[in-house]
Amino acid sequence: SPATGTAFALGDSGDTFTVPVGATIVNSGTATGFGGGSWNLIKTLTLSGETDVDFVNGVADVVLDSTYNAYCFTFSNIHGSVINYSFQWNGSTDTGATYDVSKTQFANRTWNCSGGGGAPTHDAGESLYQATTPAHMNNSLGIDASECCSGQLWLYSLGSSTFRKMYNTNTLNTHSSDCLYGWITGGEIETTAACDAIQFSMNTGNLDAGVISLYGLGK
């Protein structure tokens, strides 16, 4: 810099370059040739009373296309404003103009309460069949100051125009009756169109607090 259109080789075969403690490497461009399998943080949103939050491809540095084969949303300390309701998501194929993709989903839960535990159970109430409504990742969230929901949503091949899009979730939440719930859901977005936006909300009330981060898993 300031030269442009110049390519150069850094070092020779067998050389080692060491980044000392306290130094920082910032990548503002495109880095290639580092191999796959790495988690790449794309976007983090901190919640503060929103009705819903959107991650839209091409908006505010969000990437949701064929750049990555797998995307993972992580949730930390999600807290709603109304007791006994569900944290949910929906997808879009028109960059967030509408969130109504058709989904078929199974839902399983297990729990442990102060009065005794529960065996893993298929939860028909959170299962879906060709539904365009949001998909619940759990239910009956408590809203005491110390209660929350945390977990992950994985989505695969969102940019494909050939295949339906598979997904799965794994969440934990504190139930209003002093119970810990563990939820596993999975299913498919039943469209071959690219899915380019994801929206999160509570099925009643607001998203009072929490952090949602989007990662792309390197190919």
Side-chain angles (χ1 to χ4, degrees), residues 12-58:
D12 297 308
S13 177
D15 289 349
T16 298
F17 296 88
T18 302
V19 179
V21 174
T24 301
I25 296 178
V26 177
N27 174 32
S28 298
T30 300
T32 62
F34 290 96
S38 60
W39 286 62
N40 300 284
L41 177 62
I42 297 171
K43 187 76 173 181
T44 294
L45 295 178
T46 299
L47 309 178
S48 181
E50 295 84 357
T51 301
D52 51 58
V53 293
D54 300 353
F55 290 78
V56 181
N57 183 51

Side-chain angles (χ1 to χ4, degrees), residues 34-199:
F34 290 96
S38 60
W39 286 62
N40 300 284
L41 177 62
I42 297 171
K43 187 76 173 181
T44 294
L45 295 178
T46 299
L47 309 178
S48 181
E50 295 84 357
T51 301
D52 51 58
V53 293
D54 300 353
F55 290 78
V56 181
N57 183 51
V59 176
D61 300 322
V62 170
V63 177
L64 277 175
D65 56 19
S66 57
T67 300
Y68 301 100
N69 287 335
Y71 289 91
C72 181
F73 288 92
T74 64
F75 323 117
S76 300
N77 303 329
I78 304 298
H79 193 274
S81 63
V82 180
I83 196 169
N84 285 345
Y85 286 95
S86 304
F87 185 44
Q88 61 186 15
W89 69 276
N90 211 339
S92 172
T93 58
D94 53 15
T95 57
T98 55
Y99 288 93
D100 58 359
V101 294
S102 177
K103 298 169 293 300
T104 293
Q105 169 176 295
F106 70 84
N108 294 327
R109 62 172 172 161
T110 188
W111 66 95
N112 194 7
C113 304
S114 57
T121 303
H122 171 68
D123 194 295
E126 306 305 342
S127 297
L128 302 173
Y129 179 68
Q130 296 181 347
T132 59
T133 53
H136 294 179
M137 292 178 278
N138 46 36
N139 68 28
S140 301
L141 273 65
I143 60 167
D144 288 352
S146 62
E147 296 176 332
C148 65
C149 160
S150 296
Q152 298 176 342
L153 164 63
W154 285 87
L155 299 131
Y156 307 95
S157 300
L158 287 183
S160 173
S161 58
T162 302
F163 298 105
R164 297 177 179 182
K165 287 73 178 151
M166 300 296 177
Y167 69 86
N168 60 274
T169 77
N170 189 333
T171 64
L172 295 166
N173 72 274
T174 309
H175 185 273
S176 58
S177 299
D178 295 325
C179 299
L180 176 65
Y181 273 29
W183 290 86
I184 296 175
T185 75
E188 65 177 10
I189 299 172
E190 297 181 326
T191 179
T192 57
C195 185
D196 53 17
I198 301 294
Q199 182 180 80

